[in-house]
Amino acid sequence: MKNGLQLIIVFVLFSCQTKQETSKGPGEINNLVFSELATTWDEAMPLGNGMVGQLVWQKNGKLRF
């Protein structure tokens, strides 16, 4: 009986210690910044939605998709 009571007390204490985090917007958490475009296709930035996609890079001063 004593062990069961201790287990309940420990459970209650841990469940009461909730950490409240401030929610950040998607721009603050998932922020990718590219200072320049890739110059080869294998370093290109992938864009897409899971079914359709493309790679974006730069060659001879022109944007390639």
Side-chain angles (χ1 to χ4, degrees):
M1 184 72 176
K2 187 175 181 180
N3 288 340
L5 183 60
Q6 289 174 347
L7 183 62
I8 292 172
I9 291 172
V10 169
F11 176 75
V12 169
L13 289 176
F14 279 116
S15 63
C16 291
Q17 295 179 355
T18 58
K19 183 178 179 183
Q20 295 180 352
E21 296 181 11
T22 58
S23 63
K24 296 182 179 181
E28 297 175 13
I29 296 173
N30 304 320
N31 192 11
L32 292 176
V33 177
F34 294 92
S35 60
E36 58 187 43
L37 289 173
T39 55
T40 59
W41 70 270
D42 60 340
E43 296 175 351
M45 179 175 40
L47 298 174
N49 64 2
M51 291 191 68
V52 178
Q54 62 186 1
L55 296 173
V56 180
W57 76 95
Q58 177 179 326
K59 184 177 180 182
N60 298 328
K62 295 182 180 179
L63 192 61
R64 304 283 176 141
F65 294 97

